[in-house]
Amino acid sequence: MKLSEFFKVFINIKSQEVSKATVEKYKQSLERFIFSVGDKQVKDYTFLDIEKFKLLEKQKGVKNSTINIWLRHMKAVFNYALSTGEIENPLLIKQFREIERPVREIPKSTITRLLNAADENYRDLLIVAFNTGMRRGELYSLKVENIDFEKGIITLMPQQTKVKRVRIIPVPDTALEILRKHAEGKRKNQRVFDFLKDENSITYRFQKLKKKTGIKNVRFHDIRHTFALHLVKQGFDISEIQQILGHSTIITTKKYLRFREEYLRAKLKSIRVV
């Protein structure tokens, strides 16, 4: 079976486990890989094909981090091929070494500039994002029926989350009031932020807002990091942060611990015991 054909089988299974956005990323990775090394029988790919792919993409000026994402996707495909018996031996896929980048926190002054420059609907969405740490896809798919205004929580169904699991999100009062405003008069199955055309509209609007304000080196996903780092400052422990952010494993959450060490160091700086 050729890789393109096998991928259809793989993606049918994977689409039950991950979001639509992630499925699209898998498809993009496959297209890049096949474009570089060709669409062969799955069993005919070798380590040299992987290395050829890496070399060609590097020559195009693609960043190591981006190539690594594609490699991780292809690794998942070939691991599935191994589990189904399509290939007999694991295909060695070595990623590039990456320099660990610090988690970016958006300064309050930048947050203020973004909020002041946004239109009312998008400003409301940003405030909810900053106060809940919700992912882009979660914000887009959020429906009135997902919100319990009495308990102050959001319950997302598996099809609305990145990891295809039920996710419960506690909502601070500020964000809850905004959600109440946008939910008013809507049916239970309607999206809360129905002014958005699609999930990509969130990123598109954010890019336009950055251009309008002259803000650089900030991504929409940094809002989630900013929220997480705020939890660290407020003294939430790592397991609590994992639960609030909806990470499937605590390994992902641990990247915020380094910031906690820096924060504690800053607090201890002026303390003198003797």
Side-chain angles (χ1 to χ4, degrees), residues 73-88:
H73 291 160
M74 296 315 302
K75 185 174 183 178
V77 173
F78 283 109
N79 282 346
Y80 183 68
L82 182 67
S83 69
T84 60
E86 192 68 28
I87 59 176
E88 295 182 359

Side-chain angles (χ1 to χ4, degrees), residues 54 58 63-65 68 71-72 94-101:
K54 290 162 62 178
K58 281 290 290 182
K63 294 179 180 178
N64 286 357
S65 56
N68 280 349
L71 289 173
R72 284 196 291 272
K94 295 176 65 176
Q95 297 181 27
F96 288 111
R97 285 189 178 182
E98 293 182 53
I99 299 174
E100 186 178 355
R101 300 181 185 276

Side-chain angles (χ1 to χ4, degrees), residues 12-44:
N12 282 336
I13 300 297
K14 205 67 180 175
S15 61
Q16 307 302 314
E17 304 172 359
V18 298
S19 66
K20 289 182 180 179
T22 302
V23 167
E24 285 304 311
K25 290 176 182 176
Y26 271 101
K27 290 179 179 178
Q28 291 169 12
S29 300
L30 178 86
E31 288 172 1
R32 299 286 300 209
F33 185 77
I34 288 179
F35 180 80
S36 293
V37 301
D39 189 15
K40 303 192 291 187
Q41 296 290 314
V42 180
K43 61 182 178 59
D44 291 338

Side-chain angles (χ1 to χ4, degrees), residues 27-261:
K27 290 179 179 178
Q28 291 169 12
S29 300
L30 178 86
E31 288 172 1
R32 299 286 300 209
F33 185 77
I34 288 179
F35 180 80
S36 293
V37 301
D39 189 15
K40 303 192 291 187
Q41 296 290 314
V42 180
K43 61 182 178 59
D44 291 338
Y45 287 99
T46 68
F47 172 73
L48 292 178
D49 289 312
I50 302 298
E51 293 303 298
K52 178 183 177 182
F53 173 65
K54 290 162 62 178
L55 177 62
L56 291 174
E57 295 302 330
K58 281 290 290 182
Q59 289 175 343
K60 294 175 186 176
V62 181
K63 294 179 180 178
N64 286 357
S65 56
T66 302
I67 298 173
N68 280 349
I69 292 172
W70 297 336
L71 289 173
R72 284 196 291 272
H73 291 160
M74 296 315 302
K75 185 174 183 178
V77 173
F78 283 109
N79 282 346
Y80 183 68
L82 182 67
S83 69
T84 60
E86 192 68 28
I87 59 176
E88 295 182 359
N89 300 303
L91 182 61
L92 179 60
I93 299 179
K94 295 176 65 176
Q95 297 181 27
F96 288 111
R97 285 189 178 182
E98 293 182 53
I99 299 174
E100 186 178 355
R101 300 181 185 276
V103 175
R104 287 187 289 192
E105 180 181 23
I106 304 176
K108 285 189 177 180
S109 58
T110 301
I111 296 174
T112 301
R113 287 170 62 191
L114 288 168
L115 295 179
N116 288 343
D119 61 64
E120 183 178 353
N121 282 334
Y122 196 65
R123 180 170 61 249
D124 286 348
L125 181 143
L126 289 176
I127 292 172
V128 171
F130 272 113
N131 286 283
T132 62
M134 290 176 69
R135 299 180 178 93
R136 189 186 65 161
E138 295 170 344
L139 289 163
Y140 172 74
S141 67
L142 179 66
K143 295 180 180 180
V144 176
E145 63 190 0
N146 297 133
I147 310 169
D148 187 327
F149 288 102
E150 290 187 7
K151 295 181 179 179
I153 60 172
I154 290 171
T155 303
L156 296 177
M157 296 297 103
Q159 64 271 23
Q160 294 174 286
T161 67
K162 181 179 180 181
V163 294
K164 294 295 183 181
R165 297 177 184 172
V166 172
R167 170 153 143 70
I168 299 175
I169 306 168
V171 186
D173 289 343
T174 301
L176 199 64
E177 287 308 306
I178 289 175
L179 293 174
R180 194 187 303 275
K181 180 180 74 171
H182 282 266
E184 188 176 358
K186 292 178 180 174
R187 298 187 301 274
K188 287 186 176 182
N189 65 346
Q190 279 188 279
R191 288 191 299 105
V192 175
F193 297 115
D194 59 356
F195 64 90
L196 297 168
K197 181 180 179 181
D198 52 36
E199 185 178 325
N200 291 328
S201 297
I202 297 177
T203 306
Y204 175 71
R205 283 171 173 258
F206 194 71
Q207 295 298 336
K208 285 187 67 176
L209 197 56
K210 284 169 55 180
K211 187 175 181 180
K212 179 180 178 181
T213 56
I215 294 172
K216 298 180 180 180
N217 299 323
V218 174
R219 306 166 304 166
F220 185 85
H221 195 71
D222 291 333
I223 295 175
R224 182 169 163 85
H225 292 323
T226 301
F227 172 72
L229 294 174
H230 181 73
L231 296 180
V232 171
K233 290 180 182 180
Q234 295 299 313
F236 286 77
D237 67 41
I238 195 68
S239 61
E240 290 172 330
I241 296 173
Q242 178 194 3
Q243 182 178 347
I244 293 170
L245 292 178
H247 289 152
S248 56
T249 69
I250 205 164
I251 295 173
T252 307
T253 319
K254 283 185 175 179
K255 63 188 173 186
Y256 299 110
L257 286 180
R258 177 171 297 177
F259 184 90
R260 179 170 177 78
E261 292 167 358

